[in-house]
Structure formats: structure tokens, C-alpha cells
Amino acid sequence: MTFMDKVYTLRTEVHSEGGTAYFISFTDGQGEFYDLEVSEPFFMEFRQMERKNRNLQQSDWRHGEGWDLWDETLYKRAFRVPKSVEELIFDAEQRELLNKAIAALPEIQRRRFLLYHEYDLNYRQIGEMEHCRPQSIRHSVIRAREKIKAEIEKYRAG
């Protein structure tokens, strides 16, 4: 039985004498229709079972959604969408250009730039390490950044 499909029908009939009749109707495997009158306790138990089954099916349907997801849907829901091959190649080329530009820097600028950007040290911390003012470190890092940008532009143009 699939979600919300029923192969039977439950119904009640109120008689003119004030009594109530309870029925379960269904079609068997050979296609023959049955309309059975049942007792009230059996009918109530059957309705209770029907409710429990419906709740279980709804729960399965809600929680089972993940089983039927396609890769495309999972990619859309992912925090980090996997990159295409072209994007991976482009990123690798960009990293190579950046590494070449950093390698072309003078030793002091390269060290300060890497301490600031790679090791997340601030200008004051680097200044204490190198025994100089934080303003000098800041100026050196800014100049290094400008040189890197110029070097990358040179590689792209050439």
C-alpha cells in the first residue's frame, strides 16, 4: 500500500431505529467486491489501526525524502557545492600564478606578507618579531600586495 492509498473503505450507516451499522468494503484479488457488516469494537479497532498506519506512512514519507534525492538536489543543498573540472583547473592556475608572484617578492616583503595573510598575525605581532613599528609592517604588506597584483596582471597579459 502506497502513501494515502487505501484498498478498502470504512463507513457507518445510521438506521431509523437509532442503531448504527458498521461496514468495511473492499475488492479482493479476483476483483470481487465485498461489503461486510462488522461489530462496533472491530470497526473502531480497524479505524485505530488505519490512523496508526497513516501516521507511520506520513512519517516515513517525511523522513524518507533523503533516500530519493538526486545528486543535483544534494549539490544545491550542500554548503560547499563541488567544483567542476574547469573550475578546479582555473583555481590551480590561479594558485600557481599567486605562488610565482609571491616568490618574486623581496625576502622581507614575502615574509611579512605570508605572516600577515597565511599565519593571520597582525601588524603589531609581526613588528614585535622583526623589531620594527607596525606602520612599517603595514606599508610593507600593502606594497607586497600591489606588487603581487601587478605581477599577476603581467602574467595574464603576457
Side-chain angles (χ1 to χ4, degrees):
M1 183 164 52
T2 61
F3 179 65
M4 302 304 272
D5 288 344
K6 293 192 323 183
V7 292
Y8 57 88
T9 305
L10 299 176
R11 66 180 173 83
T12 59
E13 285 183 11
V14 179
H15 296 294
S16 57
E17 306 88 49
T20 305
Y22 301 94
F23 294 92
I24 298 176
S25 305
F26 62 94
T27 304
D28 69 6
Q30 284 73 37
E32 195 165 324
F33 179 77
Y34 292 93
D35 192 27
L36 303 176
E37 185 173 355
V38 295
S39 67
E40 181 182 5
F42 182 82
F43 183 84
M44 292 304 170
E45 191 64 35
F46 206 86
R47 279 186 64 191
Q48 187 67 22
M49 180 202 64
E50 181 182 49
R51 285 189 190 121
K52 286 179 182 178
N53 278 342
R54 185 188 63 230
N55 290 343
L56 282 172
Q57 286 175 336
Q58 288 173 338
S59 176
D60 288 348
W61 182 77
R62 276 193 311 270
H63 298 296
E65 178 212 7
W67 301 332
D68 298 331
L69 292 178
W70 298 92
D71 288 341
E72 180 181 337
T73 309
L74 290 173
Y75 289 155
K76 287 179 184 175
R77 290 184 179 183
F79 290 116
R80 291 185 179 161
V81 177
K83 293 184 176 184
S84 68
V85 174
E86 293 83 12
E87 289 173 318
L88 291 172
I89 292 170
F90 179 77
D91 288 351
E93 289 173 352
Q94 291 294 97
R95 273 193 307 279
E96 186 179 335
L97 280 176
L98 179 62
N99 288 336
K100 284 180 182 178
I102 291 172
L105 291 173
E107 174 64 31
I108 293 172
Q109 279 185 341
R110 180 176 47 242
R111 181 178 60 241
R112 291 176 178 177
F113 180 85
L114 292 174
L115 286 171
Y116 183 77
H117 287 287
E118 290 293 317
Y119 296 100
D120 294 324
L121 298 177
N122 61 38
Y123 299 133
R124 184 186 52 77
Q125 292 169 322
I126 299 169
E128 288 173 2
M129 289 172 58
E130 297 198 354
H131 307 290
C132 65
R133 299 178 320 142
Q135 292 84 356
S136 300
I137 302 298
R138 180 178 174 274
H139 179 71
S140 182
V141 170
I142 290 171
R143 286 290 300 138
R145 200 175 301 138
E146 290 169 357
K147 286 181 180 179
I148 289 170
K149 284 181 184 178
E151 194 72 21
I152 289 174
E153 288 302 319
K154 186 176 83 175
Y155 281 121
R156 286 185 181 159

